[in-house]
Amino acid sequence: MDQDRWTEVDRYLASIFTPPDPALDAAVESSAKAGLPEIQVAPNQGKLLHILARAVGARAVLEIGTLGGYSTLWLARALPSDGRLISLEIDPKHADVARANLERAGLGGVAEVRVGRALDTLRQIAAERLAPFDMIFIDADKPSIPEYFDWALRLSRRGGLIVVDNVVREGGVADGTSTDANVLGVRRLNERLASELRVSATTIQTVGIKGYDGFTLALVLETVPRERDA
């Protein structure tokens, strides 16, 4: 099995489960025209986020890392008419592209894109008492994901879901000698999850059009700290 076969299978599955969609296709196209990196989730991964959001009955979603708003569209479409989504993006250019994509899809009134350093905007969200969120998707710089996770747990409800993308790093996560900052960020997250009693978590490896990677799912069991049983 190689990248060509993974891509072939992904394209086949996308043709079955994610047929052409004007708003989603336009989001990918406009992002490419604007020169954004092509690192958005694959169509089947976007559909998975949509299904997960619906499965937890999400009415409020927080996304850390907007890029061009492709995953934002999938998540926003899972919300009821009175739902809300806040997406955090550090790059103003990316945020402008995402906002235009959301407006084009008729979701400008549902999804809000906030610009700034995520660790700062997360503090603002907490200060504004906008929590709890039913689902939080973390798809931003990997060295900071342990801190993003801590904020996600603080801002989640009991029974909420936290999803973290790009956590296998082409297998690099298993290398205990790695000096890659992205790998080290993921390994710190894993150590954090292993000792955190308020969540039940697992990581799934994936292959597909985006290569070899994976994602972490963490179900929030409690929202206040508790000690490990003796």
Side-chain angles (χ1 to χ4, degrees):
M1 297 291 284
D2 56 18
Q3 183 60 57
D4 289 342
R5 177 55 61 89
W6 300 342
T7 299
E8 178 187 6
V9 172
D10 251 11
R11 286 176 175 163
Y12 161 71
L13 295 174
S15 71
I16 299 296
F17 297 111
T18 56
D21 182 291
L24 292 169
D25 295 344
V28 173
E29 181 179 353
S30 65
S31 296
K33 285 183 177 179
L36 273 60
E38 296 185 18
I39 55 174
Q40 71 274 1
V41 300
N44 54 351
Q45 294 169 333
K47 183 71 172 289
L48 175 62
L49 291 173
H50 178 90
I51 291 171
L52 290 172
R54 294 187 65 177
V56 299
R59 303 180 68 85
V61 171
L62 176 63
E63 179 181 49
I64 304 174
T66 315
L67 195 61
Y70 183 76
S71 55
T72 320
L73 285 169
W74 277 109
L75 288 165
R77 284 179 167 182
L79 298 175
S81 58
D82 60 345
R84 61 185 173 88
L85 183 152
I86 299 175
S87 188
L88 311 182
E89 174 56 49
I90 193 170
D91 190 314
K93 177 182 177 181
H94 295 179
D96 287 343
V97 172
R99 289 181 182 124
N101 287 330
L102 290 163
E103 288 291 343
R104 184 186 301 110
L107 295 167
V110 176
E112 172 191 359
V113 180
R114 295 194 177 194
V115 177
R117 182 172 172 266
L119 292 177
D120 295 330
T121 47
L122 287 164
R123 291 187 183 90
Q124 293 170 2
I125 287 171
E128 293 174 31
R129 300 183 182 277
L130 296 175
F133 292 92
D134 306 299
M135 180 172 170
I136 299 179
F137 178 46
I138 302 173
D139 190 13
D141 64 295
K142 301 307 174 268
S144 299
I145 56 173
E147 289 73 35
Y148 296 152
F149 171 77
D150 286 341
W151 273 106
L153 184 53
R154 176 178 175 179
L155 297 172
S156 291
R157 66 163 171 85
R158 182 176 183 181
L161 184 65
I162 300 170
V163 182
V164 189
D165 200 12
N166 306 127
V167 295
V168 170
R169 316 301 306 173
E170 297 185 336
V173 70
D175 182 3
T177 66
S178 176
T179 58
D180 184 315
N182 293 316
V183 170
L184 293 175
V186 174
R187 287 179 66 91
R188 285 200 301 124
L189 171 67
N190 291 338
E191 292 166 5
R192 176 79 176 80
L193 289 169
S195 63
E196 178 53 73
L197 300 179
R198 288 174 289 173
V199 301
S200 178
T202 191
T203 292
I204 301 297
Q205 300 181 81
T206 61
V207 295
I209 198 168
K210 296 295 181 179
Y212 172 36
D213 214 324
F215 58 89
T216 294
L217 296 172
L219 178 66
V220 179
L221 307 176
E222 302 284 349
T223 56
V224 294
R226 61 191 180 93
E227 295 182 358
R228 184 178 294 276
D229 294 336

